[in-house]
């Protein structure tokens, strides 16, 4: 264990930012957070909790409360772990920054979720390229309290180890699945569309945009469709995929992906903003009046 964890951020080069990977597991240096760090957490937490009721799925909000996260101060991983481990067997671990893919998959496959120990600077409140403590903890961790989602994340980790062994194309297909579900997924509840993706719930701008803007496509979940679809990492998404519930996600991802990877290797990728004739498209851009089972 490091006694002085590093803050590993993307590197600014003349070709733009490049990701830097770090493998170390670190003890959360909780006593070293500054008043400004705690204040950043408080501000972001309060701001998101103000807009998320009615936008984030009910499971997310209930789980966040049940875990004991509050706006008062940056949570201690050790305290959250007492609740999380008892509920679904997941454990949070501190990391310095992005992990290499195989390390990341291996942690998930063993129900360990890596959380960046450091929080963004005040000038990065509205936008930061790399995942920080706020994105990881506020965005990803609550749904690990949900038994079905907790199982999905572990299955994803195992699938990742497998895809890594198959090759770069398989890995790209699987990464797109993570992107369009765990990071940017929408879910249909009885009263309309809601957010469950961590990349959306941790962003005020995208939480509103994903549900209310008329600009992006919202397309019914389709595993192979997602695996073929490119994505943007430097702007709001052009397309969101909508699941009917976590059970649908579990069922659709249960089969062995090997034959799917082989089939997709023969096909072109689709642009992020494309809509196909066969897509089930959700038309409305407002929070109200989303299609119900009767009219889709
Ligand atoms: N069924 C997938 C496979 O065979 C594993 C997986 C499960 C991947 C859930 C993602 C999510 O590779
Ligand atoms: Co993330």
């Amino acid at each position: 264990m490091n006694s002085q964890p590093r803050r590993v951020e993307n590197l600014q080069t003349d070709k733009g930012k490049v990701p830097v990977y770090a493998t170390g597991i670190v003890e959360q240096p909780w006593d070293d957070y500054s008043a400004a760090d705690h204040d950043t957490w408080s501000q972001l937490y309060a701001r998101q909790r103000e807009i998320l009721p009615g936008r984030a799925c009910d499971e997310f909000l209930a789980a966040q409360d049940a875990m004991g996260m509050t706006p008062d101060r940056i949570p201690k991983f050790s305290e959250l772990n007492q609740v999380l481990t008892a509920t679904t067997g997941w454990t949070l671990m501190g990391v310095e920054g992005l992990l290499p893919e195989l390390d990341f998959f291996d942690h998930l496959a063993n129900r360990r979720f890596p959380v960046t120990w450091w929080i963004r600077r005040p000038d990065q409140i509205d936008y930061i390229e790399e995942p920080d403590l706020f994105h990881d903890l506020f965005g990803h961790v609550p749904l690990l309290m949900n038994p079905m989602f907790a199982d999905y994340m572990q299955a994803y980790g195992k699938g990742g180890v497998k895809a890594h062994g198959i090759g770069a194309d398989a890995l790209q297909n699987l990464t797109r699945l993570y992107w369009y579900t765990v990071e940017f997924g929408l879910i249909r509840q009885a009263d309309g569309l809601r957010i469950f993706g961590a990349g959306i719930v941790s962003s005020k701008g995208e939480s509103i945009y994903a549900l209310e803007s008329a600009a992006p496509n919202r397309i019914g979940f389709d595993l192979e469709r997602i695996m073929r679809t490119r994505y943007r990492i430097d702007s709001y998404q052009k397309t969101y995929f909508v699941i009917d519930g976590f059970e649908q996600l579990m069922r659709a991802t249960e089969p062995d992906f090997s034959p799917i990877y082989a089939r997709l290797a023969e096909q072109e990728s689709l642009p992020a903003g494309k809509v196909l004739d066969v897509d089930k498209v959700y038309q409305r851009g407002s929070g109200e009046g989303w299609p119900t089972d009767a009219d889709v």
Side-chain angles (χ1 to χ4, degrees):
M1 289 243 177
N2 282 350
S3 53
Q4 205 48 40
R6 297 167 306 158
R7 180 180 177 118
V8 176
E9 295 166 85
N10 291 348
L11 203 66
Q12 188 69 57
T13 71
D14 44 3
K15 293 203 173 62
K17 293 238 200 151
V18 295
V20 181
Y21 299 96
T23 53
I25 308 300
V26 301
E27 189 90 51
Q28 184 187 25
W30 197 85
D31 291 330
D32 297 344
Y33 290 130
S34 65
D37 289 335
H38 288 295
D39 192 55
T40 298
W41 169 267
S42 300
Q43 277 186 53
L44 287 168
Y45 190 100
R47 188 165 94 172
Q48 288 311 97
R49 286 298 304 227
E50 196 181 313
I51 63 160
L52 288 179
R55 289 196 175 94
C57 66
D58 293 338
E59 288 94 334
F60 176 89
L61 296 165
Q64 202 164 51
D65 292 337
M67 282 198 90
M69 286 189 193
T70 71
D72 313 353
R73 54 184 174 82
I74 294 175
K76 292 187 178 173
F77 298 170
S78 56
E79 291 178 8
L80 298 178
N81 271 335
Q82 288 182 10
V83 184
L84 182 60
T85 307
T87 309
T88 57
W90 275 80
T91 310
L92 310 181
M93 328 167 305
V95 292
E96 298 178 311
L98 276 183
L99 292 167
E101 267 153 348
L102 195 53
D103 290 68
F104 179 62
F105 294 143
D106 182 63
H107 288 309
L108 297 186
N110 291 285
R111 293 199 173 234
R112 297 187 298 261
F113 193 80
V115 175
T116 305
W117 73 264
W118 53 268
I119 195 160
R120 66 194 72 182
R121 297 186 310 265
D123 61 292
Q124 297 170 313
I125 285 261
D126 291 319
Y127 184 75
I128 178 168
E129 216 168 275
E130 54 272 72
D132 73 331
L133 179 140
F134 185 74
H135 167 79
D136 288 340
L137 204 51
F138 184 97
H140 283 286
V141 169
L143 279 180
L144 294 175
M145 293 278 286
N146 178 275
M148 209 163 333
F149 191 83
D151 287 350
Y152 174 70
M153 289 293 279
Q154 179 176 28
Y156 180 87
K158 292 182 182 169
V161 174
K162 190 169 102 185
H164 192 270
I166 296 176
D169 288 352
L171 203 53
Q172 184 180 61
N173 292 150
L174 193 70
T175 303
R176 288 171 177 165
L177 174 64
Y178 190 87
W179 189 265
Y180 282 119
T181 59
V182 178
E183 293 291 356
F184 292 96
L186 299 181
I187 184 168
R188 198 153 61 93
Q189 281 190 190
D191 58 351
L193 292 205
R194 301 283 190 99
I195 306 159
F196 76 93
I200 311 178
V201 289
S202 59
S203 157
K204 180 179 178 191
E206 196 150 4
S207 290
I208 296 168
Y209 175 87
L211 292 178
E212 281 139 76
S213 168
N217 311 313
R218 300 174 188 86
I219 298 174
F221 177 89
D222 176 323
L223 181 68
E224 292 189 34
R225 170 75 169 81
I226 288 177
M227 287 186 169
R228 291 174 62 198
T229 308
R230 297 198 200 102
Y231 58 82
R232 302 286 303 252
I233 60 163
D234 56 355
S235 66
Y236 293 161
Q237 299 307 302
K238 289 184 180 298
T239 296
Y240 300 94
F241 288 91
V242 182
I243 63 171
D244 288 332
F246 295 125
E247 220 180 311
Q248 178 194 28
L249 192 55
M250 283 303 283
R251 266 202 318 274
T253 54
E254 245 162 43
D256 178 12
F257 286 178
S258 308
I260 302 179
Y261 295 144
R263 192 157 60 235
L264 293 181
E266 308 297 317
Q267 297 182 39
E268 294 277 304
S269 292
L270 298 168
K274 179 127 181 134
V275 178
L276 305 176
D277 289 344
V278 293
D279 288 335
K280 171 173 151 186
V281 178
Y282 292 83
Q283 295 290 355
R284 300 277 304 279
S286 91
E288 282 173 27
W290 283 95
T292 61
D293 277 330
D295 36 48
V296 290

